[in-house]
């Protein structure tokens, strides 16, 4: 069963823009997929649908074979926690420490039982610290997010997503704001961690070479339509 699958997903914005036309794609557990396409091709919209943040106008999205769109309240928060999101703009709390930012990932989706608050906090803290350390930021744990470099800031955002202990990472142009050398390092980190954890990952990227380098499969969108979907290994330099 795919970790996530879109079946004939179409998405129309309220202003009438059809961002996706019957896109079908399946991502197996542990697979690393890069979604390629120009600005406006529909990558962000597809990712928001795969994350369960948007409901398709038609078609459906299944996580582990289950349509989660009807979930509400606690079940919905729990479902969202299983998806770790990383955005282009990092979206950190600038004046909070690195550790606090990572803890946000840990706590955001968890309704705490009052009697367990203390226990949960120390456990959550351990998990958040570990996520930060995995990204090589142990020296920065107590620093404010706004004191870090761009690459470090994006790593904090990745740590925040990992702290959720998700089973899938979705990264929307995670390195578009970074210079190419830093970008490569950050994408390598995402993919390395995903492989170590056995996490499924979908990355929207516009750098085709980088995508080929890290992904198991490349999916291409053009004007809201799926235009290719191939294992990276089957793509030669001349393609
Ligand atoms: P990206 O290419 O990274 O998706 P965009 O610049 O296309 O970024 O979009 C940035 C933000 O603007 C997003 O929140 C997107 O939903 C919104 N947006 C993009 N195009 C339109 C549009 N035609 N009308 C309204 N909002 C838009
Ligand atoms: P990409 O991520 O590949 O840049 P998007 O998914 O952001 O593409 O956008 C796909 C299409 O949907 C584009 O034509 C964009 O202008 C449009 N769009 C994105 N967000 C909005 C929005 N909030 N309202 C209307 N149109 C939007």
């Amino acid at each position: 069963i795919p970790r996530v699958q879109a079946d004939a997903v179409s998405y129309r914005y309220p202003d009438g823009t059809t961002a996706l036309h019957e896109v079908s794609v399946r991502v197996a557990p542990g697979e690393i997929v890069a979604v390629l396409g120009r600005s406006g091709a529909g990558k962000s919209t597809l990712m928001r649908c795969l994350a369960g943040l948007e409901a398709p106008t038609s078609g459906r999205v299944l996580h582990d074979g289950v349509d989660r769109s009807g979930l509400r309240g606690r079940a919905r928060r729990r479902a969202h926690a299983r998806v770790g999101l990383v955005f282009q703009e990092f979206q950190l709390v600038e004046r909070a420490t690195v550790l606090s930012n990572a803890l946000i990932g840990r706590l955001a989706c968890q309704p705490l039982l009052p009697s367990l608050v203390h226990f949960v906090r120390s456990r959550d803290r351990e998990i958040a610290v570990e996520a930060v350390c995995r990204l090589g930021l142990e020296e920065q744990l107590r620093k404010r997010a706004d004191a870090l470099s761009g690459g470090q800031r994006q790593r904090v955002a990745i740590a925040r997503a990992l702290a959720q202990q998700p089973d899938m990472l979705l990264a929307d142009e995670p390195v578009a704001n970074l210079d190419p050398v830093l970008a490569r390092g950050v994408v390598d980190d995402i993919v390395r961690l995903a492989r170590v954890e056995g996490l499924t990952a979908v990355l929207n990227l516009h750098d085709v070479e980088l995508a080929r380098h890290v992904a198991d499969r490349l999916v291409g969108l053009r004007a809201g339509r799926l235009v290719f979907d191939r294992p990276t290994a089957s793509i030669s330099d001349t393609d």
Side-chain angles (χ1 to χ4, degrees):
I1 304 175
R3 172 106 308 148
V4 65
Q5 91 187 67
D7 284 341
V9 164
S10 296
Y11 191 91
R12 195 149 68 94
Y13 283 100
D15 70 355
T17 308
T18 301
L20 297 173
H21 300 268
E22 304 206 342
V23 172
S24 294
V25 63
R26 292 168 167 231
V27 184
E31 199 176 18
I32 312 280
V33 171
V35 179
L36 298 166
R38 300 208 171 130
S39 185
K43 304 182 296 298
S44 298
T45 307
L46 177 61
M47 185 153 282
R48 294 175 60 77
C49 289
L50 293 178
L53 296 173
E54 303 283 355
T57 312
S58 66
R60 57 181 195 163
V61 171
L62 303 181
H63 292 93
D64 299 316
V66 177
D67 186 339
R68 295 183 185 161
S69 61
L71 299 178
R72 293 293 175 263
R74 189 177 175 164
R76 183 178 166 85
R77 278 198 300 279
R78 199 176 290 141
H80 278 165
R82 291 165 64 184
V83 179
L85 296 168
V86 179
F87 302 97
Q88 177 175 340
E89 310 82 9
F90 316 156
Q91 301 185 357
L92 303 179
V93 180
E94 298 296 338
R95 296 161 62 97
T97 63
V98 167
L99 178 56
S100 300
N101 272 280
L103 264 171
I104 289 165
R106 188 70 214 139
L107 299 178
C109 319
Q110 286 191 352
L112 301 181
L113 293 173
S115 59
L116 289 176
V117 162
H118 186 72
F119 168 76
V120 172
R121 279 199 180 144
S122 58
R123 178 79 188 118
D124 286 334
R125 201 183 156 78
E126 267 171 43
I127 291 169
V129 169
E130 193 189 318
V132 171
C133 292
R134 288 202 168 180
L135 274 303
L137 294 172
E138 49 273 55
E139 305 284 313
Q140 277 75 36
L141 266 172
R142 304 269 161 216
K143 288 201 181 144
R144 267 170 51 161
D146 57 10
L148 304 185
S149 70
Q152 289 174 328
R153 287 153 59 73
Q154 188 56 301
R155 285 184 169 87
V156 176
I158 298 162
R160 179 181 57 196
L162 281 183
Q164 285 173 224
Q165 300 188 312
D167 46 29
M168 180 164 70
L169 274 180
L170 299 180
D172 190 5
E173 298 280 2
V175 295
N177 288 337
L178 302 178
D179 75 56
V181 176
L182 272 178
R184 186 148 217 163
V186 170
V187 168
D188 278 342
D189 272 0
I190 295 175
V191 170
R192 176 177 54 80
L193 289 166
R195 296 226 191 262
V196 169
E197 306 282 326
L199 287 177
T200 308
V202 180
L203 302 103
N204 289 348
L205 294 173
H206 57 238
D207 181 338
V208 181
E209 274 315 304
L210 183 55
R212 274 184 60 187
H213 175 70
V214 298
D216 300 321
R217 200 145 60 82
L218 302 185
V219 167
L221 289 179
R222 188 188 301 143
R225 293 175 202 275
L226 191 102
V227 290
F228 63 85
D229 182 349
R230 290 171 60 183
T232 314
S234 77
I235 299 170
S236 71
D237 287 334
T238 52
D239 276 340

